[in-house]
Amino acid sequence: MGDAAARFAEIVGRTHLLAGDQVSEDYAHDESLTTEPRKPAFVAKPATAEEVAALLVAAGEHGVPVTARGAGSGMSGAARPREDGLLISFERMNSVLEIDTGNQVAVVQPGVSLAELDERAAEAGLSYPVYPGELSASVGGTVGTNAGGMRAVKYGVTRHNVLGLQAVLPTGEIIRTGGRTSKISTGYDLTQLIIGSEGTLALATEVVVKLAPRLAHSATLLAPFGDLDQVMRAVPRILEAGLAPHILEYIDNLTMAAITYNEKLSLGIPDEVRDATQAYLVVGLENREADRLDGDVERAGELLGELGASDVYVLEGGSARKLIEAREKAFWTAKAAGADEIIDVVVPRTEMPGFLAEVRELATAAEAGAVGCGHAGDGNLHLGIFCKDQEKRYRLLHDVFAAAIARGGAISGEHGIGHAKKRHYLELEDPAKVALLRRLKQAFDPQGILNPGVLFD
Amino acid sequence: MGDAAARFAEIVGRTHLLAGDQVSEDYAHDESLTTEPRKPAFVAKPATAEEVAALLVAAGEHGVPVTARGAGSGMSGAARPREDGLLISFERMNSVLEIDTGNQVAVVQPGVSLAELDERAAEAGLSYPVYPGELSASVGGTVGTNAGGMRAVKYGVTRHNVLGLQAVLPTGEIIRTGGRTSKISTGYDLTQLIIGSEGTLALATEVVVKLAPRLAHSATLLAPFGDLDQVMRAVPRILEAGLAPHILEYIDNLTMAAITYNEKLSLGIPDEVRDATQAYLVVGLENREADRLDGDVERAGELLGELGASDVYVLEGGSARKLIEAREKAFWTAKAAGADEIIDVVVPRTEMPGFLAEVRELATAAEAGAVGCGHAGDGNLHLGIFCKDQEKRYRLLHDVFAAAIARGGAISGEHGIGHAKKRHYLELEDPAKVALLRRLKQAFDPQGILNPGVLFD
């Protein structure tokens, strides 16, 4: 181990390698509620792709497992290192290298935060539309988990917005994949294979992302419904209407009560409406031109009424922003309220009413609670699970995930599998696919040094 | 071989297996200009995924290489079978299984043509926006090559519009990947890995595609420019303006003359304008609402004028359709005109002026011709190469591809590598990436039975 430490220090410089007591608790975990923190033996903070490559080669030689870390805001434990391992932190590789307005792309290092990327894009009238709740998340981390978020209903998830990578293979080669264009048919798509691989195949050291024109005008509609099923049935209808919302979220009444209380947010909804509401739909619309937006808001309002909303509130800029921010903090609210697990299961959007009914039944049978909110336009549901008994909770989650898969869905829409959902994944996934994934892992990482224990053992 | 034939016939039924003289010339080639036709030993026409799986298992046992074929409209020879091989033709697996309006997806068998898919989507007010020139192309074929086409500038290419697959692995397992939602972070993305793999990794037996709302109103603007560079410099500016064109094509004057002559198409452009034109830009706009479209057409017209267009013609429905159809036939026009090779090289769109200048120099030095048109919004250029001397042509193409790669581009934007571009690909691609791709191929296809000789040997 001493040899390894000396080698790592030589690569990144003594001040950029931490070992033993120098390693703070922060590096021991991400935001997964159920993955036990573990302090790594080493933390290295490289400054270049070449340093990352040298670290991987050295780790391979010394048999040291390697975990990558961006901002540590992941939800599945994929950035939780091994005790005998090397954590590569991308905190020093945090530059926006280029905002290329002609090609509408940005080239960034993996440690850049989403907040900074969007700020820099905004200066050029552009936007990076991938918008998971946590804007302190690093771009590299979002590549690892294929992060999604609210705006995916219009703009897609990370994989739809990353055009190319510079990446370091576990064998130490530095490769470039994709480019500044979305049209490439030249060999297998390594960009897409690395995205969402949770740090198990290669480490991104540069990311080329698409930027979208920043639309000047936006509005947020809030529609209370007496019945959760009505909300779920309204979702496909709104999308069919061609209004192209950039936000289409549902929030159940318990979650809405908690987030508005926590954020001291008043939305001006009368008590009698609130009391008769089972769930809310939040519809975000945007346009280049103010009068077109007004037309769309009017049309959406009519449609929501036809679909059973008890009322429709067009939120002012300030309260709209606060509601979206509060919704983004739903995870923290659920955590503070004592949720034992938070999942982000996904089903085809038309399956949401049936699936949520099934979840309610399963939770009741397990004497557990399941409340939530989610990216309704994408069928991506965030559920806080309240169930102290670990074994009961495990069975409940197993049944919930199995129900989602039976409806054509998947265990995770955007958080990934990591350590947190691995047991469920291996139990529920087609063994032929798991075997194929293991062979792909072997093709990238013959020594198995990258994030062992994530996805599979 | 006799044993293999008997086994294949047993699987698909005697009437659906062709051998020897029963195999027509049609099965010997696709539309690649430079890949020599080869009649396969067998053609099997399976009806189900299970039959495809059984064929692959039997082919593996008998050591028979397998090539998949959709409509045979590919441009890189990836559907050209081996003489000792089995061609699996998907002509009988040609059903649209479902148009699911709630999730805005279609589920189709691989032999369905793009024309039929779009027709069926249209009945539900939806559209399958992937629109390569050849609408007789099969969906399975477009998955194999990651086909693009004109509308990619707005809607992306095949990989952005396929959400899931049923696929048969060369080892005979039938797997399902992805689903009816665009948000899945559960294991490596096999859907994306199979798309664009040109039949070398797995065979798609069912495809789940996204459908887009069909917009009621569209318009086509034709803008002649005195200078090709001006056209190329106009492209990023139009995209920055946020008009979201669904078509943004350039056509050089020679190509325009040829396609309008061939199709007997009169666009009402005065002779003096035509004679002073070096290239045309075609801008397609669409909208849900007629008045919004009118506003966009007006704005686009002004902008084109500012960017140096000598005039702007808003084409009537009939001539617009005819021009787009003629443009789609540019390949056939170039072929009829005696082009020796047609390439679809891609560069970042801001690199187009410099790249085209470089191509002109290279062509002049090689005493060759290079004319074309292309998907300017995506930097995807289709060039007809006129150069009879095979070795000279090979050097010219090598230099053209190398120039594209040096500018951050790639050999192919949408046609793929196949047999036609393999030598260039292997010479110009990073050897570390080729080695990784070979390991991935091995992970899928340990016996190497799927399309050997495509991409690499």
Side-chain angles (χ1 to χ4, degrees), chain B residues 141-222:
Chain B
T142 63
V143 167
T145 57
N146 185 28
M150 285 193 192
R151 298 185 191 162
V153 66
K154 178 170 178 186
Y155 292 101
V157 299
T158 300
R159 75 167 67 261
H160 306 114
N161 289 281
V162 171
L163 297 178
L165 297 173
Q166 183 196 59
V168 180
L169 302 180
T171 38
E173 292 103 335
I174 302 172
I175 61 170
R176 285 195 177 270
T177 71
R180 297 185 188 201
T181 164
S182 53
K183 229 177 177 180
I184 293 181
S185 280
T186 304
Y188 309 151
D189 195 325
L190 297 173
T191 311
Q192 293 297 329
L193 187 53
I194 294 169
I195 293 171
S197 67
E198 307 192 51
T200 66
L201 297 182
L203 301 189
T205 45
E206 216 174 280
V207 187
V208 182
V209 299
K210 268 199 326 201
L211 300 176
R214 205 170 187 94
L215 303 179
H217 306 279
S218 67
T220 305
L221 284 73
L222 178 66

Side-chain angles (χ1 to χ4, degrees), chain A residues 102-103 145 149 159 176 181 183 185-186 188-189 200 288 292 296 349-350 375 378 412 414 433 439 443, chain B residues 102-103 145 149 159 176 181 183 185-186 188-189 200 292 296 349-350 375 378 412 414 433 439 443:
Chain A
N103 292 303
T145 57
R159 75 166 67 262
R176 286 196 176 268
T181 164
K183 227 176 179 183
S185 281
T186 305
Y188 309 150
D189 194 326
T200 65
R288 222 170 72 231
R292 292 187 185 189
D296 285 353
R349 59 186 180 239
T350 52
H375 312 302
D378 297 303
S412 172
E414 55 188 18
K433 279 171 71 180
R439 297 197 298 274
Chain B
N103 292 302
T145 57
R159 75 167 67 261
R176 285 195 177 270
T181 164
K183 229 177 177 180
S185 280
T186 304
Y188 309 151
D189 195 325
T200 66
R292 293 187 184 188
D296 286 353
R349 58 183 179 240
T350 53
H375 312 303
D378 297 302
S412 171
E414 55 187 17
K433 280 171 70 180
R439 297 197 298 274

Side-chain angles (χ1 to χ4, degrees), chain B residues 23-32 35-44 64-70 72 76-89 198-199 418-419 449-454:
Chain B
V23 177
S24 77
E25 284 299 333
D26 268 1
Y27 292 115
H29 63 89
D30 61 10
E31 295 300 341
S32 162
T35 309
E36 209 181 324
R38 282 197 196 142
K39 272 171 74 163
F42 316 101
V43 175
V64 176
V66 177
T67 298
R69 179 189 170 92
S76 70
R80 199 282 310 273
R82 299 253 298 213
E83 270 159 355
D84 57 346
L86 167 67
L87 184 72
I88 296 185
S89 168
E198 307 192 51
H419 293 283
I449 60 162
L450 270 189
N451 233 3
V454 162

Side-chain angles (χ1 to χ4, degrees), chain B residues 209-381:
Chain B
V209 299
K210 268 199 326 201
L211 300 176
R214 205 170 187 94
L215 303 179
H217 306 279
S218 67
T220 305
L221 284 73
L222 178 66
F225 284 78
D227 179 47
L228 179 61
D229 278 6
Q230 263 182 331
V231 172
M232 294 300 156
R233 284 194 297 267
V235 166
R237 300 286 305 280
I238 291 164
L239 289 165
E240 283 164 26
L243 293 164
H246 68 293
I247 294 175
L248 190 50
E249 298 279 309
Y250 93 94
I251 305 176
D252 72 16
N253 55 348
L254 282 173
T255 303
M256 181 64 104
I259 64 177
T260 49
Y261 176 80
N262 265 23
E263 301 296 318
K264 302 183 181 44
L265 177 62
S266 166
L267 297 167
I269 300 174
D271 286 356
E272 63 275 18
V273 173
R274 206 187 50 210
D275 293 347
T277 294
Q278 207 173 72
Y280 298 81
L281 201 57
V282 183
V283 183
L285 298 171
E286 54 177 9
N287 209 295
R288 221 171 71 231
E289 296 183 15
D291 59 339
R292 293 187 184 188
L293 178 67
D294 292 346
D296 286 353
V297 167
E298 196 174 326
R299 177 76 196 97
E302 287 165 14
L303 187 59
L304 286 163
E306 288 161 28
L307 294 169
S310 54
D311 208 338
V312 178
Y313 304 88
V314 181
L315 300 181
E316 297 302 314
S319 34
R321 204 182 55 247
K322 279 183 200 151
L323 174 64
I324 297 300
E325 282 170 10
R327 159 62 190 89
E328 280 167 356
K329 289 181 189 151
F331 162 72
W332 301 104
T333 308
K335 189 177 168 181
D340 300 292
E341 177 64 293
I342 290 169
I343 62 174
D344 89 307
V345 66
V346 64
V347 293
R349 58 183 179 240
T350 53
E351 297 290 332
M352 288 190 294
F355 175 68
L356 280 176
E358 217 172 333
V359 169
R360 279 193 299 269
E361 276 172 36
L362 290 167
T364 306
E367 298 171 310
V371 299
C373 54
H375 312 303
D378 297 302
N380 187 198
L381 308 166

Side-chain angles (χ1 to χ4, degrees), chain B residues 133-146:
Chain B
E134 192 52 57
L135 293 185
S136 71
S138 72
V139 173
T142 63
V143 167
T145 57
N146 185 28

Side-chain angles (χ1 to χ4, degrees), chain A residues 285-427:
Chain A
L285 298 171
E286 54 177 10
N287 209 294
R288 222 170 72 231
E289 296 182 15
D291 59 338
R292 292 187 185 189
L293 178 66
D294 292 345
D296 285 353
V297 167
E298 194 174 327
R299 176 76 196 98
E302 286 165 12
L303 186 59
L304 286 163
E306 288 162 27
L307 294 169
S310 54
D311 207 340
V312 178
Y313 303 89
V314 181
L315 300 181
E316 296 303 312
S319 34
R321 203 182 56 247
K322 279 183 199 154
L323 174 63
I324 297 299
E325 283 170 10
R327 159 61 190 89
E328 281 168 355
K329 289 180 186 153
F331 162 71
W332 301 103
T333 308
K335 189 177 170 182
D340 300 291
E341 177 64 293
I342 290 167
I343 62 174
D344 89 307
V345 67
V346 64
V347 292
R349 59 186 180 239
T350 52
E351 296 290 331
M352 288 190 294
F355 176 67
L356 279 175
E358 217 172 334
V359 169
R360 280 193 299 270
E361 275 173 34
L362 289 167
T364 306
E367 297 170 309
V371 299
C373 54
H375 312 302
D378 297 303
N380 186 200
L381 307 166
H382 292 303
L383 299 173
I385 304 290
F386 298 78
C387 177
K388 292 287 162 226
D389 183 303
Q390 203 173 323
E391 191 45 38
K392 254 191 190 168
R393 191 170 75 232
Y394 171 77
R395 291 307 320 163
L396 172 60
L397 289 182
H398 180 95
D399 294 344
V400 166
F401 292 138
I405 292 169
R407 290 175 183 272
I411 292 174
S412 172
E414 55 188 18
H415 293 172
I417 299 300
H419 292 283
K421 307 295 186 301
K422 178 174 61 175
R423 192 174 150 201
H424 296 294
Y425 171 68
L426 293 175
E427 284 178 9

